[in-house]
C-alpha cells in the first residue's frame, strides 16, 4: 500500500510540475494593428480592456479586443497572467456580467493566425498571440515572459 501511495504522489508531483512549467514557459505578446497609434500598454490597461472595464485605448480610440479560444494555451496563460483569473473563474465573471446586462466577453477566434487576421482588418483591434507567432502584420505593445 505504501508503494502505491508513494508512486501516486511522485506521479502527481511530476504531472503538476509539467503543467505549471508549460504555463510558466508560455510567452504571450499583446498585439495591435501596426497602424494603431498606441506603442505600449501596461498589464493593468490591457486587463481593463479585456474585462470590459475600459472600452477605449488611452488615446481615446475605441478598443476592439479579440480573444483566442478557451481551449488554447494562449488563452489560459493570458487569463492567468493578465486578467488574474483561471479559465473557470473567467467564465463565472462573464456569466455575471451577461446576467446583469453589464457586458459580454470579447469574441473568440481559434488561434494565433485568426487573431492576426482579425487585427489586419481592424485598426482598433487588440489581441494576444504566442511570442513565436509575431510577424510584421502585428505590433507588439506588451510582452509577457514565461515568468510573469
Amino acid at each position: 500500500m505504501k508503494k502505491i501511495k508513494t508512486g501516486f504522489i511522485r506521479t502527481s508531483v511530476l504531472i503538476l510540475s509539467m503543467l505549471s512549467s508549460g504555463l510558466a514557459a508560455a510567452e504571450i505578446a499583446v498585439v495591435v494593428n501596426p497602424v494603431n497609434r498606441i506603442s505600449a500598454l501596461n498589464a493593468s490597461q490591457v486587463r481593463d480592456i479585456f474585462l470590459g472595464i475600459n472600452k477605449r485605448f488611452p488615446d481615446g480610440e475605441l478598443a476592439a479586443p479579440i480573444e483566442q479560444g478557451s481551449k488554447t494555451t494562449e488563452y489560459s496563460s493570458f487569463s492567468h497572467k493578465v486578467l488574474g483569473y483561471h479559465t473557470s473563474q473567467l467564465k463565472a465573471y462573464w456569466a455575471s456580467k451577461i446576467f446583469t446586462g453589464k457586458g459580454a466577453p470579447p469574441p473568440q477566434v481559434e488561434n494565433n493566425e485568426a487573431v492576426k487576421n482579425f487585427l489586419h482588418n481592424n485598426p482598433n483591434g487588440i489581441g494576444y498571440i504566442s511570442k513565436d507567432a509575431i510577424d510584421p502584420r502585428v505590433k507588439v505593445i506588451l510582452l509577457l515572459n514565461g515568468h510573469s
Side-chain angles (χ1 to χ4, degrees), residues 126-144:
I126 180 172
Y128 53 87
I129 58 175
S130 169
K131 179 183 176 190
D132 298 339
I134 296 170
D135 67 29
R137 294 179 288 164
V138 296
K139 177 170 57 171
V140 177
I141 59 169
L142 178 65
L143 187 61
L144 305 161

Side-chain angles (χ1 to χ4, degrees), residues 29-32 38-42 46 57 126 139-143:
V30 179
V31 292
V32 295
I38 297 299
S39 59
L41 292 178
N42 64 41
V46 171
F57 288 111
I126 180 172
K139 177 170 57 171
V140 177
I141 59 169
L142 178 65
L143 187 61

Side-chain angles (χ1 to χ4, degrees), residues 49-52 64-67 94 104-109:
I49 289 171
F50 276 86
L51 291 178
I66 188 77
E67 288 194 305
W94 285 116
Q108 290 186 346
V109 294

Side-chain angles (χ1 to χ4, degrees), residues 16-140:
L16 287 173
S17 66
M18 287 169 47
L19 288 172
S20 65
S21 67
L23 272 179
E27 290 187 287
I28 301 294
V30 179
V31 292
V32 295
N33 184 303
V35 303
N36 192 308
R37 294 185 304 215
I38 297 299
S39 59
L41 292 178
N42 64 41
S44 179
Q45 291 169 310
V46 171
R47 179 182 191 273
D48 287 353
I49 289 171
F50 276 86
L51 291 178
I53 296 166
N54 191 351
K55 298 189 184 307
R56 297 190 175 275
F57 288 111
D59 67 357
E61 290 291 324
L62 195 61
I66 188 77
E67 288 194 305
Q68 294 210 27
S70 61
K71 297 194 186 310
T72 66
T73 304
E74 291 84 0
Y75 178 88
S76 299
S77 187
F78 180 82
S79 297
H80 178 71
K81 290 178 183 179
V82 177
L83 304 182
Y85 290 109
H86 290 286
T87 55
S88 60
Q89 294 170 315
L90 190 56
K91 287 179 185 178
Y93 171 86
W94 285 116
S96 171
K97 291 285 191 181
I98 291 167
F99 181 74
T100 59
K102 294 183 179 178
Q108 290 186 346
V109 294
E110 63 274 3
N111 55 33
N112 292 315
E113 194 64 26
V115 170
K116 292 187 287 187
N117 289 336
F118 174 86
L119 294 177
H120 176 74
N121 295 311
N122 294 280
N124 291 342
I126 180 172
Y128 53 87
I129 58 175
S130 169
K131 179 183 176 190
D132 298 339
I134 296 170
D135 67 29
R137 294 179 288 164
V138 296
K139 177 170 57 171
V140 177

